[in-house]
């Protein structure tokens, strides 16, 4: 297996799916758009808030308009399986979202992007976008990982019963979908961010999983740190599609 090839994971778990799109051109485009002349800003709205796994010089509360956080992205490895898919967050068009922005020193920006690509983009599922983020110290332009409703990993609308079933059964190599949702919920609370939609989903499981139940610690990408993404080595076979999902308007 090449250095940047998808990790098959521990024995008994589903292998990493083939890329939906080749991540390399999207990484190269992000690097070019950033330019490397200034510090790199990244917008976190889910697990990046509580497990960034990269060094940063500054962290600020931030908000974006035209996008919202939604637990509507299928996870068949990290938080679920092929048999019982789990859920992770995506940033969908419409509404607004409060999260945090991280400032990465420019000298560390390139390596940070490569590591982040291996964590977030091994299958090319997200549409990386540069978004205008409002902060108390003024606006910043930050990279965010958005999800198109055209993506095959977008769940569409799910019933409360479906969420309950997923929370009760979906477990992947980094833990359960329920742990992931609750950990994000608690971290948002710690940053004084109220997400009514997520609060409602977490409340669906109150009877089965009390609010004071212990959490599992692992994030979507647990320690040790991920290796650097090597352009062109994300898969030994060609991606199933090179057509972008990102034609969706915010």
């Amino acid at each position: 297996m090449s250095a940047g090839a998808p990790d098959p994971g521990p024995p008994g778990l589903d292998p990493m799916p083939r890329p939906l799109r080749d991540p390399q051109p999207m990484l190269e485009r992000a690097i070019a758009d950033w330019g490397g002349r200034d510090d790199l800003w990244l917008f976190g709205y889910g697990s990046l808030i509580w497990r960034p796994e990269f060094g940063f010089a500054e962290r600020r509360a931030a908000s974006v308009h035209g996008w919202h956080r939604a637990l509507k992205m299928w996870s068949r490895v990290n938080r679920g399986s092929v048999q019982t898919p789990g859920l992770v967050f995506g940033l969908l068009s419409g509404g607004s979202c409060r999260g945090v922005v991280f400032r990465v020193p420019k000298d560390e920006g390139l390596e940070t992007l490569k590591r982040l690509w291996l964590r977030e983009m091994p299958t090319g599922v997200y549409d990386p976008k540069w978004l205008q983020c409002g902060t108390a110290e003024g606006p910043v332009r930050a990279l965010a990982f958005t999800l198109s409703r055209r993506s095959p990993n977008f769940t569409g609308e799910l019933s409360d019963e479906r969420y309950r079933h997923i929370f009760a059964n979906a477990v992947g190599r980094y833990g359960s979908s329920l742990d992931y949702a609750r950990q994000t919920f608690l971290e948002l609370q710690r940053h004084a961010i109220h997400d009514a939609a997520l609060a409602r989903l977490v409340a669906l499981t109150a009877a089965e999983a009390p609010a004071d139940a212990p959490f599992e610690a692992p994030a979507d990408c647990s320690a040790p740190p991920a290796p650097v993404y090597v352009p062109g080595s994300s898969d030994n076979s060609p991606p199933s599609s090179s057509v972008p999902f990102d034609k969706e308007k915010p």
Side-chain angles (χ1 to χ4, degrees), residues 47-71:
S47 63
L48 279 183
I49 300 177
W50 45 273
R51 187 65 68 83
E53 293 187 337
F54 53 80
F56 54 90
E58 183 182 0
R59 177 173 56 191
R60 302 180 189 174
S63 60
V64 298
H65 294 282
W67 301 89
H68 68 280
R69 176 176 37 246
L71 197 61

Side-chain angles (χ1 to χ4, degrees), residues 4 17 25 28 40 72 90 106 108 113 115 127 133 144 165 176 231:
E28 294 174 348
L40 172 69
K72 292 184 178 180
K106 62 181 179 181
E108 302 171 18
L113 281 175
R115 291 188 183 279
D127 292 323
C133 302
H165 175 80
S176 70

Side-chain angles (χ1 to χ4, degrees), residues 171-188:
V171 179
R173 63 179 171 179
Y174 296 129
S176 70
S177 293
L178 177 58
D179 287 338
Y180 172 86
R182 295 179 66 202
Q183 182 68 50
T184 303
F185 177 67
L186 288 183
E187 188 66 10
L188 291 177

Side-chain angles (χ1 to χ4, degrees), residues 27 31 34 40 109-117 143:
L27 172 60
I31 293 171
W34 166 51
L40 172 69
L110 183 59
E111 182 175 354
T112 297
L113 281 175
K114 290 178 179 180
R115 291 188 183 279
L116 197 58
W117 235 251
L143 183 67

Side-chain angles (χ1 to χ4, degrees), residues 184-202:
T184 303
F185 177 67
L186 288 183
E187 188 66 10
L188 291 177
Q189 286 188 318
R190 194 173 75 83
H191 288 274
I193 297 172
H194 177 62
D195 186 319
L198 178 56
R200 191 187 73 81
L201 292 179
V202 171

